[in-house]
Amino acid sequence: MSSVHFEVDGAVAVLRLDNPPVNSLGHELRRAIVEALVRAEDDPAVQAIILIGSGKGFSGGADIREFGTPKSLAAPNLHGVLRAVEECTKPVIAAIDGICMGGGLELALCCHYRIAAANARLALPEVKLGLLPGAGGTQRLPRLIGVEAALSMIVSGATISLDKLRGTPLFDAVADGDLASFALEFARAVIAERRGIKRVRDLAIRMPNAEAYFQFARNTVKSVAGPYPAPLACVEAVAAAAQQPFDSGLKRERELFVSLMASPESAALRHVFQAERAAAHIKGLPESVATRPISRVGVVGAGTMGGGITMSFINAGLPVTLVETTQEALDRGLANIRRNYQNALRKGSLTEAKLEQRLALITPGLQFETLRDADLVVEAVFEDLEVKRRVFERLDEVVKTGAILASNTSTLDLDAIAGFTKRPQDVIGLHFFSPANIMRLLEVVRGAKTAHDTLATAMALAKTIGKIAVVAGVCDGFIGNRMVARYGLAAHDLLVAGALPQQIDAALQNFGMAMGPFRMADLAGLDIGWAIRKRRAAESPDEDFANIADILCEAGRFGQKTGAGFYRYEAGAREAIPDPAVSAIVEGFRHSKGVVPRPVSDAEVVERCVYALINEGARIVDEGIAQRSSDVDLVYLNGYGFPAYRGGPMFYADTVGLITVARGLTRIAATAGAQAQFWTPAPLLARLAREGRTFSESTGSST
Ligand code: NAD
């Protein structure tokens, strides 16, 4: 069946685009549009043509799945379609409702008339993929809504509702009531009044102060674009629209688009976009699995995580029963939640009414019995297996059959936790990140016995609460914490070798990490790792767990919360100030290990820390803990501040070249003594490097 429905009503041909869910302009739809246009042109009875959408609206734009494939270039390409529309000898009217974005809006801009329904939402979001609208959007939009408004839409990629654009020449009319019948009436008027063909390209832009304006725009955009080239390229393209004849402006837009398409930043952003879609596909999970309905949730523990998790649910309108052990702990938890919302209220991102509405969704309690009717319960109590045992045994007793029992554990064995119940098929890990109401990442931990529908329900729930869910297998630290542990060890080794925390943090922040490892450790609190190392040292007395952080902890330096850690902090401030006392502790540690300090370059810092991440990521993929390398990227991008313009550690490895990474690791391993195994290239990495392949093509976003 064609993806364009063709109907003739009197003298008007109606071309209804039908490529669910968003009428993306893939090859089949492009071909069908051109074919339908030719048919309408050839039909002597037709005097005007309407292009109208269906489903979610007019068109969501290019089909990103075609990017980089021969289909994206296959004739007719988007330019061919736009030319066919613009050069059509009969008036073409775009009837826009719902979404009209990217290539979809560029298609509408090539039509001779545009009418819109009140629900129309428009955007040129290409900048979010490190690109610019490359099919005339930067040239035509300013001719209709003015240079400033167009530039703001193009540089921000923001979605604009019809109301903001009402009254501009972008729309010839706004429909009240049914768009299709309004469009027919409009088309008949165009014919009757012989309004003819109006091409946007023929409109002139008059801007006497253009040069000064664009200089100002360049400066403003440069100061916020950071490492991304696309926003500035958008300014250049719009400047060409304002300062050059249409065809040379179009040529300039093309050149800029082609150079952005080849930029590593855009490749990384497109990888992230694809990765988010791929993560929703779970290997071995039949499409037909029905999810369980979730209309009431329980949360056990109202501490740091329990509070944030509760907020995530109530923000999405899901009622939560929140259970604690004491009234005091419960009151504290509720007060924290209220304080968080009050901060949002002060910033203007929440209204008083909404705040009260959300808080009213919480039913606080001290009895597990109140969780009886929950469809899903998330446990967020202390990280102690015995405490978890008691909680899960109790949940097994009271919570209704068929409910999902989830643990937020960071490090404990989920299969052991599932074993505390008589329903391990209903048990899953939901590993939120702190602050849980803000961080978008959710590791969904699949236990050995987790049922298909438990997993499918957790993934659907993640979507409901606006999280990016990544499936992880059971192991110590799952994906993210297992990787960050290796990264932390690499950073610690560099400290011992001769660097200081401030140098290591600065080198990694210059690489693009949101925060260096020592600032991050200070923020998270050094005492947690200290307790874990003490436990591990007691369990394995022959291994060396000594860490400079332990000496800091012994001196009462637990990080930001005590005003000192790897840095010192002024009261009430978050600025990490290098501290000579820490340098002395580091020197003392080196001395105790017989280490003679050596110079460490920033390049070595980046190489060691990032390669440590990549090597562990490869092991995680090889062991099946992550389904694909792009899932590892998503975890590290969304949970640990890896720069999006580098696409995540595994994508970064692909861009560096796996052979280079493998050689670097082998070189480090040769001098790593007892740690040689840690640095030896992981089997998957070594194999792909030998074969000249990448993570992305071998495990990337395949589903
Ligand atoms: P927390 O100490 O802030 O809160 C734990 C809460 O659980 C306390 O309020 C305590 O009173 C309550 N509690 C203890 N036993 C209980 C019981 N039997 N019934 C009801 N409530 C009980 O700890 P947290 O940082 O919120 O961590 C909770 C869990 O989340 C741990 O498993 C932790 O590993 C995991 N986690 C923590 C983080 C983080 O950054 N803090 C991130 C991800 C996961």
Side-chain angles (χ1 to χ4, degrees):
M1 203 178 73
S2 171
S3 39
V4 172
H5 301 285
F6 187 97
E7 252 175 52
V8 177
D9 189 323
V12 183
V14 180
L15 278 52
R16 183 176 283 279
L17 315 187
D18 185 13
N19 182 26
V22 294
N23 286 329
S24 64
L25 292 160
H27 180 240
E28 167 52 26
L29 182 59
R30 299 197 304 267
R31 200 194 50 71
I33 294 173
V34 172
E35 196 177 274
L37 276 175
V38 171
R39 189 171 156 194
E41 284 235 62
D42 287 349
D43 185 341
V46 170
Q47 295 179 53
I49 301 162
I50 294 171
L51 271 184
I52 190 166
S54 55
K56 290 189 177 170
F58 186 73
S59 168
D63 187 344
I64 185 139
R65 284 165 308 183
E66 284 188 356
F67 271 19
T69 72
K71 269 195 167 178
S72 68
L73 302 173
N77 62 18
L78 184 57
H79 298 276
V81 177
L82 301 194
R83 215 174 307 118
V85 171
E86 193 168 57
E87 290 172 6
C88 188
T89 55
K90 299 175 180 176
V92 183
I93 300 145
I96 302 165
D97 67 342
I99 60 165
C100 179
M101 296 183 180
L105 178 51
E106 290 178 304
L107 171 64
L109 293 173
C110 281
C111 292
H112 307 130
Y113 298 90
R114 280 155 301 278
I115 59 172
N119 71 348
R121 285 175 295 128
L122 290 87
L124 288 173
E126 288 79 355
V127 72
K128 294 182 178 171
L129 295 179
L131 299 170
L132 53 71
T138 65
Q139 305 302 299
R140 292 189 179 90
L141 192 62
R143 288 177 154 77
L144 288 167
I145 66 170
V147 166
E148 277 186 51
L151 188 59
S152 150
M153 257 182 93
I154 293 166
V155 168
S156 69
T159 302
I160 308 288
S161 63
L162 174 82
D163 277 342
K164 297 228 169 77
L165 296 165
R166 214 186 262 267
T168 66
L170 179 59
F171 298 115
D172 297 280
V174 173
D176 37 40
D178 178 56
L179 180 66
S181 35
F182 184 86
L184 269 176
E185 262 173 56
F186 183 86
R188 287 186 192 120
V190 167
I191 298 168
E193 294 162 22
R194 296 180 188 283
R195 287 200 220 163
I197 308 273
K198 284 196 322 183
R199 294 195 179 94
V200 176
R201 58 180 293 144
D202 298 333
L203 300 173
I205 296 181
R206 264 176 288 277
M207 199 180 190
N209 59 347
E211 197 42 54
Y213 170 76
F214 284 109
Q215 207 41 52
F216 170 74
R218 281 182 196 105
N219 293 342
T220 313
V221 168
K222 214 182 275 176
S223 67
V224 291
Y228 294 96
L232 208 57
C234 292
V235 179
E236 295 311 330
V238 175
Q243 297 174 309
Q244 297 178 25
F246 183 82
D247 282 325
S248 46
L250 208 56
K251 191 160 159 270
R252 182 77 184 118
E253 178 195 84
R254 189 83 216 131
E255 288 162 6
L256 290 162
F257 179 83
V258 168
S259 83
L260 289 177
M261 197 67 178
S263 70
E265 293 82 4
S266 174
L269 293 178
R270 281 178 280 135
H271 166 74
V272 176
F273 182 90
Q274 306 270 32
E276 288 186 13
R277 272 134 202 89
H281 295 275
I282 302 170
K283 289 178 184 167
L285 192 75
E287 289 274 323
S288 55
V289 172
T291 56
R292 305 183 193 180
I294 305 285
S295 49
R296 169 162 281 281
V297 172
V299 174
V300 184
T304 310
M305 295 308 290
I309 293 169
T310 299
M311 289 174 73
S312 296
F313 288 126
I314 59 178
N315 288 350
L318 278 167
V320 173
T321 305
L322 180 59
V323 173
E324 256 293 349
T325 43
T326 63
Q327 190 61 46
E328 198 195 342
L330 194 55
D331 290 344
R332 204 180 323 119
L334 289 169
N336 281 338
I337 293 175
R338 181 174 278 277
R339 190 166 337 107
N340 264 319
Y341 280 132
Q342 270 161 348
N343 286 341
L345 191 73
R346 259 195 303 281
K347 286 184 197 144
S349 54
L350 194 73
T351 62
E352 186 84 45
K354 277 240 167 75
L355 182 156
E356 293 306 331
Q357 238 172 37
R358 290 195 188 163
L359 291 177
L361 287 170
I362 305 176
T363 310
L366 296 174
Q367 304 299 328
F368 271 59
E369 280 72 15
T370 55
L371 297 168
R372 182 172 292 127
D373 297 327
D375 300 306
L376 173 137
V377 179
V378 185
E379 162 277 312
V381 304
F382 302 133
E383 187 75 338
D384 175 316
L385 201 59
E386 273 315 300
V387 180
K388 306 265 190 208
R389 175 199 291 278
R390 284 198 295 278
V391 168
F392 273 82
E393 284 176 352
R394 213 44 207 113
L395 290 174
D396 199 19
E397 281 167 14
V398 300
V399 180
K400 70 179 180 190
T401 310
I404 292 175
L405 306 180
S407 174
N408 184 44
T409 182
S410 318
T411 54
L412 300 174
D413 179 353
L414 184 82
D415 290 329
I417 293 174
F420 300 149
T421 73
K422 291 189 250 352
R423 39 174 132 170
Q425 73 281 2
D426 297 335
V427 177
I428 197 162
L430 289 181
H431 185 222
F432 289 81
F433 286 69
S434 183
N437 53 312
I438 308 272
M439 297 289 280
R440 286 187 71 210
L441 180 63
L442 180 66
E443 282 182 332
V444 175
V445 186
R446 179 186 205 172
K449 296 190 177 160
T450 303
H452 281 342
D453 64 343
T454 303
L455 184 57
T457 306
M459 296 300 282
L461 179 69
K463 204 169 172 189
T464 307
I465 61 174
K467 301 289 181 199
I468 296 176
V470 175
V471 177
V474 176
C475 68
D476 190 353
F478 312 123
I479 300 174
N481 282 344
R482 184 169 151 180
M483 288 172 71
V484 81
R486 291 301 193 184
Y487 174 75
L489 283 178
H492 183 263
D493 285 351
L494 290 164
L495 211 54
V496 178
L500 284 173
Q502 50 271 32
Q503 185 206 341
I504 296 172
D505 282 352
L508 287 159
Q509 283 161 208
N510 287 337
F511 172 78
M513 300 296 295
M515 206 183 267
F518 297 107
R519 276 181 61 206
M520 193 160 87
D522 272 2
L523 184 66
L526 305 181
D527 47 329
I528 304 168
W530 188 35
I532 293 172
R533 282 188 295 277
K534 278 198 277 195
R535 197 186 71 214
R536 290 196 173 147
E539 286 163 5
S540 323
D542 296 338
E543 273 186 65
D544 182 7
F545 291 96
N547 193 298
I548 290 165
D550 298 347
I551 309 170
L552 297 174
C553 287
E554 280 156 19
R557 303 178 69 117
F558 290 175
Q560 261 191 40
K561 60 186 164 189
T562 58
F566 280 104
Y567 297 90
R568 66 180 184 83
Y569 301 85
E570 301 285 350
R574 285 169 177 271
E575 191 201 345
I577 305 167
D579 189 345
V582 174
S583 309
I585 288 173
V586 171
E587 272 164 34
F589 188 87
R590 286 180 195 141
H591 189 70
S592 74
K593 296 279 170 190
V595 174
V596 180
R598 65 172 176 86
V600 174
S601 71
D602 289 359
E604 183 182 357
V605 169
V606 170
E607 182 184 68
R608 287 197 176 222
C609 292
V610 178
Y611 282 15
L613 282 179
I614 296 166
N615 212 23
E616 196 61 17
R619 290 192 191 102
I620 285 171
V621 174
D622 216 9
E623 290 168 24
I625 296 296
Q627 299 192 85
R628 48 184 85 80
S629 64
S630 63
D631 281 4
V632 173
D633 285 335
L634 280 188
V635 167
Y636 229 77
L637 287 163
N638 293 293
Y640 301 85
F642 200 90
Y645 63 88
R646 296 196 192 273
M650 311 309 275
F651 184 80
Y652 173 71
D654 284 347
T655 57
V656 170
L658 296 191
I659 187 75
T660 306
V661 176
R663 279 191 192 133
L665 284 165
T666 306
R667 176 170 34 78
I668 300 169
T671 59
Q675 297 198 52
Q677 207 194 340
F678 168 40
W679 290 107
T680 300
L684 174 67
L685 171 57
R687 179 164 58 77
L688 294 176
R690 247 193 335 268
E691 294 168 358
R693 296 169 68 204
T694 63
F695 286 125
S696 292
E697 70 177 22
S698 60
T699 76
S701 39
S702 60
T703 52

